[in-house]
Amino acid sequence: MTTTGVPSTTPGFSDPDSSSPGFSGPGEPGQLGDSIRRSGLKVTAPRLAVLRALDDSPHTSAERLFALVRIELPGTSLQAVYGVLAAFTSAGLTRRIEPSGSPALYERRVGDNHHHVICSSCAAVRDVDCAVGEAPCLEPNDAAGFVVHAAEVTFWGLCPDCQAATA
Amino acid sequence: MTTTGVPSTTPGFSDPDSSSPGFSGPGEPGQLGDSIRRSGLKVTAPRLAVLRALDDSPHTSAERLFALVRIELPGTSLQAVYGVLAAFTSAGLTRRIEPSGSPALYERRVGDNHHHVICSSCAAVRDVDCAVGEAPCLEPNDAAGFVVHAAEVTFWGLCPDCQAATA
DNA sequence: TGAATTGTTTTGAGGAAATCAAGACAACTG
DNA sequence: CAGTTGTCTTGATTTCCTCAAAACAATTCA
């Protein structure tokens, strides 16, 4: 029951927490539980399930996470997933991105300034460590007097699969 | 799957014209009407009104454009505005951006690869001609095998007014 | 260990943004 | 000026997300 047979498209990133798949009750140790506790949040089954699903499938919508979570935790409500994600995101445990034309996606990779490349055809998402220099675009020539504190870069293109399908 | 929100690469950006405020009927000449006709679209009162409103207020939502249009054209429906914007955007006459936490915004400035800086506090939007080199970030080191054809950059910060209000 | 406290989840309603569909209507063509 | 084609109006619908109240569970403290 470690893996749920989820259509995973997991790229390189993963937490060095591979085991402890089941929820063994309150006081649950394990690295997932610890990271939740460390953020000042209570450890619950829905939260562990969402975090585990996000490890398997980064860049995933609330609705899809809901479907994944329900496989192992059928009683979970969609609103619970939204609640978990809101709590995680405001605690800095997850990051939320909102690509054009897509519902919000969530990822566990936080705290580094990475960006995303999205397939215009199939909406696949991959992480991109931004290229030029160290923080490209973070210093626009003329920001109209704004004090800039973040830059968000989204690349649009064709993923390898869709390139092959087109050719 | 649509490609909604992907930055348009359509050339043909026409300079804003401030004159010809009224709609004088079919066959309406004027620069606004011309640019609509040149895009292969019929010239109608709602379309002229939307285009004019976008000249006055760039980076504006459909709902707000609806309010603006209704001032001079009270019979116009919200769906008409959505229709006009969809037609304009797919014809390359306008560009649609979707900042996180905001409804879609539309602008007439198309065909150049410019970006945006948005105030985290008041949501004000300004154009930014991206800085480093000519097309920064357009060549990520490792795009996971994607063929990248567009890069979208959003800067987040504090606008001059909100800086003053904070100080 | 067991009750108190606090935070989380469930349940149900609701709202904002955008889309779809059918018929009425207006702009361009010849 | 009539025909053709595309646009607009009207109304319903979908998707994504939030709010609120009450049931409930995780942690804390006696």
Side-chain angles (χ1 to χ4, degrees):
Chain A
M1 80 191 284
T2 302
T3 38
T4 49
V6 165
S8 169
T9 40
T10 310
F13 173 72
S14 69
D15 204 52
D17 170 325
S18 38
S19 48
S20 69
F23 179 65
S24 2
E28 151 92 14
Q31 306 193 27
L32 289 178
D34 284 348
S35 60
I36 295 175
R37 232 183 309 268
R38 253 183 268 113
S39 299
L41 299 170
K42 288 184 177 170
V43 178
T44 67
R47 287 179 173 178
L48 287 169
V50 166
L51 216 46
R52 206 174 304 124
L54 270 180
D55 269 347
D56 291 342
S57 326
H59 314 122
T60 305
S61 68
E63 202 84 35
R64 194 160 143 57
L65 285 169
F66 171 58
L68 293 175
V69 164
R70 288 209 107 173
I71 294 171
E72 26 172 327
L73 219 58
T76 314
S77 70
L78 175 60
Q79 285 76 354
V81 174
Y82 274 110
V84 167
L85 291 169
F88 281 179
T89 300
S90 88
L93 214 56
T94 58
R95 178 176 160 196
R96 173 189 170 127
I97 62 174
E98 295 183 45
S100 297
S102 151
L105 306 178
Y106 297 84
E107 63 183 352
R108 279 198 75 190
R109 186 174 161 187
V110 294
D112 63 341
N113 186 28
H114 78 274
H115 302 304
H116 298 98
V117 55
I118 308 183
C119 180
S120 310
S121 170
C122 73
V125 180
R126 290 290 176 281
D127 288 334
V128 171
D129 295 301
C130 210
V132 193
E134 50 183 49
C137 293
L138 248 170
E139 296 293 340
N141 279 335
D142 175 17
F146 281 57
V147 174
V148 172
H149 54 62
E152 212 181 351
V153 183
T154 304
F155 301 97
W156 296 90
L158 266 193
C159 72
D161 285 355
C162 290
Q163 290 171 48
T166 303
Chain B
M1 165 65 59
T2 58
T3 51
T4 310
V6 174
S8 165
T9 14
T10 309
F13 171 63
S14 55
D15 36 347
D17 86 307
S18 42
S19 51
S20 65
F23 178 64
S24 358
E28 152 92 14
Q31 308 192 25
L32 290 178
D34 284 348
S35 59
I36 294 174
R37 232 183 310 268
R38 254 183 265 115
S39 299
L41 299 169
K42 288 183 178 173
V43 178
T44 67
R47 289 180 172 178
L48 286 169
V50 167
L51 217 47
R52 206 175 302 122
L54 271 180
D55 269 347
D56 291 343
S57 327
H59 314 122
T60 304
S61 69
E63 203 84 35
R64 196 162 142 58
L65 285 169
F66 171 59
L68 292 174
V69 163
R70 287 209 108 172
I71 295 172
E72 27 172 325
L73 220 58
T76 313
S77 69
L78 175 59
Q79 284 77 355
V81 173
Y82 274 109
V84 166
L85 291 169
F88 281 0
T89 301
S90 87
L93 213 57
T94 58
R95 177 176 160 195
R96 172 188 171 130
I97 63 174
E98 294 183 45
S100 296
S102 150
L105 306 179
Y106 297 84
E107 62 183 353
R108 279 198 74 190
R109 185 174 162 187
V110 294
D112 63 341
N113 186 29
H114 78 275
H115 302 304
H116 298 98
V117 54
I118 308 183
C119 181
S120 311
S121 169
C122 74
V125 180
R126 291 290 175 281
D127 289 334
V128 171
D129 295 301
C130 209
V132 192
E134 50 183 50
C137 294
L138 247 170
E139 296 294 341
N141 279 336
D142 174 18
F146 281 56
V147 173
V148 172
H149 54 63
E152 214 181 349
V153 182
T154 304
F155 300 97
W156 295 89
L158 268 192
C159 72
D161 285 356
C162 289
Q163 288 171 50
T166 303

